[in-house]
Structure formats: structure tokens, C-alpha cells
Amino acid sequence: MIPVYLASSSPRRRALLEQVGLPFTVVEPRVEEEMDEQLPPHRLVEKLALRKASSVARQLTGGLVVAADTVVVLGDRVLGKPADAAEAISMLSLLAGNVHEVYTGLAVMEPPPGRRVVTHERTRVRFRPLTAEEIVNYVATGEPLDKAGAYAAQGLGAIFIAGIEGCYFNVVGLPLARLATVLQEFGLNLLRLSRENGVLPA
């Protein structure tokens, strides 16, 4: 099997790859997540994902690198990870009672000068109205502080979500259906891999 390297320090992305039974090695990218707000959101996340994948690919001589980057978009505002609790409160106050979009850029590439595929997924998320007390109490848990948009759909933040249109796993940080389709372009079929190698989700 082709060795797969995940260019991410995110425990959520690691858990999702484990969920679909894909063996992988984590190699953290050496990049700064700089937000270029001049780019449309889908191009921004593609650029950031490609930058992460390229950083890791340069350290390798073979295999396949998978990288992703996620942002939350409300109107014309791009929300990345909050810098502190105050910014998390501000972000959640904006999202409360509104519909926002989650974009994840996905980059899969062979170490240079190999092939690469860069794409993205978009999901619409509707938050129910939130009280100031709910927001403050949620931020006090610490969960929002390393999450794009200051919430975790797979965690306690789930109680704020009134509806989702599109890929749920995209909101968590890695659109699995799109990833499976891209991996097939590189000769990796997740269903066949699990069956042939006995690599099955827990």
C-alpha cells in the first residue's frame, strides 16, 4: 500500500481518518496559517491546504500527502481560529441565530514533482439563537479556542447547531466523501483497502 502522510496536527482529522480505516503517519506542516482575505473563501482554503501539503511533501521521497484547512464564513467575514476567549465570544455572538458556511480545502499530493489534486467542500450551518450566558459558559470550557469559527460540531458545540446542509464531516474538518473520491485518483480505494488488509474502523 502507498504510505499516507497526514499534514495536520488536528486530532479531529486524525480521528476521521482512523474512522474510515486508513493507515497513516502524522507529519506536522511547517507553515503559518495566514489569512489572505482578498481571496474568495474556497480559494483561500485550497491555498492553505496546498501550502500544508507542500511543506510535508518536501520532507519526503515517496508516499501520498493529505492536507486540509477549514474556515467559517459569515457574509463577507472569514472566521479562522480565535486568538483568545474574547475573540471566541465575539465570533459566537455573530454566528448565533444565523446561517454560516464552512469551507474546507483539501490537497492530496505525491512528493514533488508528483501529481496533486486540490479541491474544496462547502457546507451551510444554521445556529439557533444563543444567550450571552450560553456563549460565555461555552467559551469557558476551552473547547472553542482552537476551532475555526470558535465551535466544535463534534463536541459540546453540537448543541448550538439547528441544521446542516451538506457534508457534516466537512464541518468537523475533513470532508470524507470528497477525500475518498480524490484518493481513488491515486489508486487508493478505501473500501477495498479495508477488506484486503483487514484495516477496519473500530
Side-chain angles (χ1 to χ4, degrees), residues 77-94:
R77 297 190 61 167
V78 175
L79 308 179
K81 298 175 183 177
D84 51 32
E87 188 172 18
I89 290 172
S90 175
M91 286 183 180
L92 290 165
S93 299
L94 290 171

PDB file of all heavy atoms in Angstrom, residues 77-94:
ATOM      1  N   ARG A  77     -17.345  37.890   6.018  1.00  0.00           N
ATOM      2  CA  ARG A  77     -16.329  37.753   7.059  1.00  0.00           C
ATOM      3  C   ARG A  77     -15.825  36.322   7.126  1.00  0.00           C
ATOM      4  O   ARG A  77     -16.607  35.372   7.199  1.00  0.00           O
ATOM      5  CB  ARG A  77     -16.885  38.156   8.430  1.00  0.00           C
ATOM      6  CG  ARG A  77     -17.305  39.613   8.497  1.00  0.00           C
ATOM      7  CD  ARG A  77     -17.602  40.026   9.929  1.00  0.00           C
ATOM      8  NE  ARG A  77     -16.437  39.883  10.806  1.00  0.00           N
ATOM      9  CZ  ARG A  77     -16.377  40.413  12.033  1.00  0.00           C
ATOM     10  NH1 ARG A  77     -17.402  41.103  12.519  1.00  0.00           N
ATOM     11  NH2 ARG A  77     -15.304  40.252  12.775  1.00  0.00           N
ATOM     12  N   VAL A  78     -14.507  36.167   7.108  1.00  0.00           N
ATOM     13  CA  VAL A  78     -13.870  34.864   7.231  1.00  0.00           C
ATOM     14  C   VAL A  78     -13.399  34.705   8.674  1.00  0.00           C
ATOM     15  O   VAL A  78     -12.645  35.530   9.188  1.00  0.00           O
ATOM     16  CB  VAL A  78     -12.673  34.726   6.269  1.00  0.00           C
ATOM     17  CG1 VAL A  78     -11.954  33.402   6.490  1.00  0.00           C
ATOM     18  CG2 VAL A  78     -13.141  34.845   4.823  1.00  0.00           C
ATOM     19  N   LEU A  79     -13.858  33.628   9.312  1.00  0.00           N
ATOM     20  CA  LEU A  79     -13.520  33.384  10.714  1.00  0.00           C
ATOM     21  C   LEU A  79     -12.618  32.161  10.815  1.00  0.00           C
ATOM     22  O   LEU A  79     -13.042  31.043  10.503  1.00  0.00           O
ATOM     23  CB  LEU A  79     -14.795  33.163  11.543  1.00  0.00           C
ATOM     24  CG  LEU A  79     -15.888  34.226  11.432  1.00  0.00           C
ATOM     25  CD1 LEU A  79     -17.093  33.840  12.287  1.00  0.00           C
ATOM     26  CD2 LEU A  79     -15.362  35.597  11.844  1.00  0.00           C
ATOM     27  N   GLY A  80     -11.403  32.392  11.246  1.00  0.00           N
ATOM     28  CA  GLY A  80     -10.492  31.279  11.489  1.00  0.00           C
ATOM     29  C   GLY A  80     -10.567  30.876  12.952  1.00  0.00           C
ATOM     30  O   GLY A  80     -11.628  30.927  13.577  1.00  0.00           O
ATOM     31  N   LYS A  81      -9.433  30.496  13.530  1.00  0.00           N
ATOM     32  CA  LYS A  81      -9.406  30.144  14.943  1.00  0.00           C
ATOM     33  C   LYS A  81      -9.312  31.420  15.777  1.00  0.00           C
ATOM     34  O   LYS A  81      -8.544  32.325  15.441  1.00  0.00           O
ATOM     35  CB  LYS A  81      -8.202  29.245  15.241  1.00  0.00           C
ATOM     36  CG  LYS A  81      -8.239  27.921  14.505  1.00  0.00           C
ATOM     37  CD  LYS A  81      -6.970  27.127  14.732  1.00  0.00           C
ATOM     38  CE  LYS A  81      -6.971  25.831  13.936  1.00  0.00           C
ATOM     39  NZ  LYS A  81      -5.700  25.075  14.088  1.00  0.00           N
ATOM     40  N   PRO A  82     -10.073  31.517  16.866  1.00  0.00           N
ATOM     41  CA  PRO A  82     -10.000  32.722  17.694  1.00  0.00           C
ATOM     42  C   PRO A  82      -8.650  32.841  18.389  1.00  0.00           C
ATOM     43  O   PRO A  82      -8.056  31.832  18.785  1.00  0.00           O
ATOM     44  CB  PRO A  82     -11.130  32.519  18.711  1.00  0.00           C
ATOM     45  CG  PRO A  82     -11.302  31.038  18.790  1.00  0.00           C
ATOM     46  CD  PRO A  82     -11.014  30.516  17.403  1.00  0.00           C
ATOM     47  N   ALA A  83      -8.182  34.061  18.533  1.00  0.00           N
ATOM     48  CA  ALA A  83      -6.889  34.295  19.184  1.00  0.00           C
ATOM     49  C   ALA A  83      -6.982  34.118  20.690  1.00  0.00           C
ATOM     50  O   ALA A  83      -5.999  33.767  21.345  1.00  0.00           O
ATOM     51  CB  ALA A  83      -6.382  35.699  18.849  1.00  0.00           C
ATOM     52  N   ASP A  84      -8.171  34.381  21.245  1.00  0.00           N
ATOM     53  CA  ASP A  84      -8.350  34.288  22.687  1.00  0.00           C
ATOM     54  C   ASP A  84      -9.835  34.142  23.002  1.00  0.00           C
ATOM     55  O   ASP A  84     -10.680  34.090  22.095  1.00  0.00           O
ATOM     56  CB  ASP A  84      -7.761  35.524  23.391  1.00  0.00           C
ATOM     57  CG  ASP A  84      -8.252  36.831  22.791  1.00  0.00           C
ATOM     58  OD1 ASP A  84      -9.417  36.877  22.309  1.00  0.00           O
ATOM     59  OD2 ASP A  84      -7.488  37.813  22.796  1.00  0.00           O
ATOM     60  N   ALA A  85     -10.166  34.095  24.298  1.00  0.00           N
ATOM     61  CA  ALA A  85     -11.551  33.899  24.714  1.00  0.00           C
ATOM     62  C   ALA A  85     -12.448  35.049  24.257  1.00  0.00           C
ATOM     63  O   ALA A  85     -13.595  34.833  23.858  1.00  0.00           O
ATOM     64  CB  ALA A  85     -11.619  33.739  26.230  1.00  0.00           C
ATOM     65  N   ALA A  86     -11.920  36.268  24.303  1.00  0.00           N
ATOM     66  CA  ALA A  86     -12.725  37.423  23.900  1.00  0.00           C
ATOM     67  C   ALA A  86     -13.121  37.330  22.425  1.00  0.00           C
ATOM     68  O   ALA A  86     -14.259  37.621  22.048  1.00  0.00           O
ATOM     69  CB  ALA A  86     -11.958  38.715  24.162  1.00  0.00           C
ATOM     70  N   GLU A  87     -12.178  36.910  21.592  1.00  0.00           N
ATOM     71  CA  GLU A  87     -12.495  36.779  20.164  1.00  0.00           C
ATOM     72  C   GLU A  87     -13.457  35.616  19.928  1.00  0.00           C
ATOM     73  O   GLU A  87     -14.325  35.680  19.052  1.00  0.00           O
ATOM     74  CB  GLU A  87     -11.226  36.585  19.341  1.00  0.00           C
ATOM     75  CG  GLU A  87     -11.503  36.643  17.839  1.00  0.00           C
ATOM     76  CD  GLU A  87     -10.253  36.635  16.989  1.00  0.00           C
ATOM     77  OE1 GLU A  87      -9.164  36.254  17.488  1.00  0.00           O
ATOM     78  OE2 GLU A  87     -10.362  37.006  15.805  1.00  0.00           O
ATOM     79  N   ALA A  88     -13.335  34.549  20.713  1.00  0.00           N
ATOM     80  CA  ALA A  88     -14.261  33.422  20.593  1.00  0.00           C
ATOM     81  C   ALA A  88     -15.685  33.872  20.922  1.00  0.00           C
ATOM     82  O   ALA A  88     -16.645  33.514  20.233  1.00  0.00           O
ATOM     83  CB  ALA A  88     -13.834  32.286  21.521  1.00  0.00           C
ATOM     84  N   ILE A  89     -15.832  34.669  21.966  1.00  0.00           N
ATOM     85  CA  ILE A  89     -17.148  35.194  22.341  1.00  0.00           C
ATOM     86  C   ILE A  89     -17.708  36.051  21.214  1.00  0.00           C
ATOM     87  O   ILE A  89     -18.888  35.961  20.853  1.00  0.00           O
ATOM     88  CB  ILE A  89     -17.053  35.995  23.654  1.00  0.00           C
ATOM     89  CG1 ILE A  89     -16.792  35.043  24.825  1.00  0.00           C
ATOM     90  CG2 ILE A  89     -18.327  36.814  23.893  1.00  0.00           C
ATOM     91  CD1 ILE A  89     -16.491  35.750  26.137  1.00  0.00           C
ATOM     92  N   SER A  90     -16.861  36.875  20.623  1.00  0.00           N
ATOM     93  CA  SER A  90     -17.279  37.744  19.526  1.00  0.00           C
ATOM     94  C   SER A  90     -17.750  36.917  18.323  1.00  0.00           C
ATOM     95  O   SER A  90     -18.790  37.209  17.718  1.00  0.00           O
ATOM     96  CB  SER A  90     -16.130  38.662  19.118  1.00  0.00           C
ATOM     97  OG  SER A  90     -16.475  39.436  17.995  1.00  0.00           O
ATOM     98  N   MET A  91     -16.997  35.879  17.980  1.00  0.00           N
ATOM     99  CA  MET A  91     -17.364  35.030  16.838  1.00  0.00           C
ATOM    100  C   MET A  91     -18.698  34.341  17.076  1.00  0.00           C
ATOM    101  O   MET A  91     -19.578  34.330  16.204  1.00  0.00           O
ATOM    102  CB  MET A  91     -16.277  33.981  16.598  1.00  0.00           C
ATOM    103  CG  MET A  91     -14.997  34.500  15.984  1.00  0.00           C
ATOM    104  SD  MET A  91     -13.844  33.123  15.669  1.00  0.00           S
ATOM    105  CE  MET A  91     -12.460  34.017  14.955  1.00  0.00           C
ATOM    106  N   LEU A  92     -18.871  33.755  18.239  1.00  0.00           N
ATOM    107  CA  LEU A  92     -20.103  33.034  18.538  1.00  0.00           C
ATOM    108  C   LEU A  92     -21.306  33.970  18.583  1.00  0.00           C
ATOM    109  O   LEU A  92     -22.416  33.588  18.188  1.00  0.00           O
ATOM    110  CB  LEU A  92     -19.957  32.279  19.859  1.00  0.00           C
ATOM    111  CG  LEU A  92     -18.991  31.093  19.809  1.00  0.00           C
ATOM    112  CD1 LEU A  92     -18.627  30.632  21.207  1.00  0.00           C
ATOM    113  CD2 LEU A  92     -19.603  29.942  19.016  1.00  0.00           C
ATOM    114  N   SER A  93     -21.080  35.189  19.015  1.00  0.00           N
ATOM    115  CA  SER A  93     -22.161  36.182  19.029  1.00  0.00           C
ATOM    116  C   SER A  93     -22.608  36.505  17.607  1.00  0.00           C
ATOM    117  O   SER A  93     -23.801  36.730  17.360  1.00  0.00           O
ATOM    118  CB  SER A  93     -21.699  37.451  19.747  1.00  0.00           C
ATOM    119  OG  SER A  93     -21.353  37.183  21.100  1.00  0.00           O
ATOM    120  N   LEU A  94     -21.672  36.520  16.678  1.00  0.00           N
ATOM    121  CA  LEU A  94     -22.004  36.751  15.273  1.00  0.00           C
ATOM    122  C   LEU A  94     -22.769  35.572  14.672  1.00  0.00           C
ATOM    123  O   LEU A  94     -23.709  35.748  13.894  1.00  0.00           O
ATOM    124  CB  LEU A  94     -20.734  36.994  14.460  1.00  0.00           C
ATOM    125  CG  LEU A  94     -19.983  38.304  14.703  1.00  0.00           C
ATOM    126  CD1 LEU A  94     -18.636  38.276  13.982  1.00  0.00           C
ATOM    127  CD2 LEU A  94     -20.800  39.496  14.236  1.00  0.00           C
TER     128      LEU A  94
END
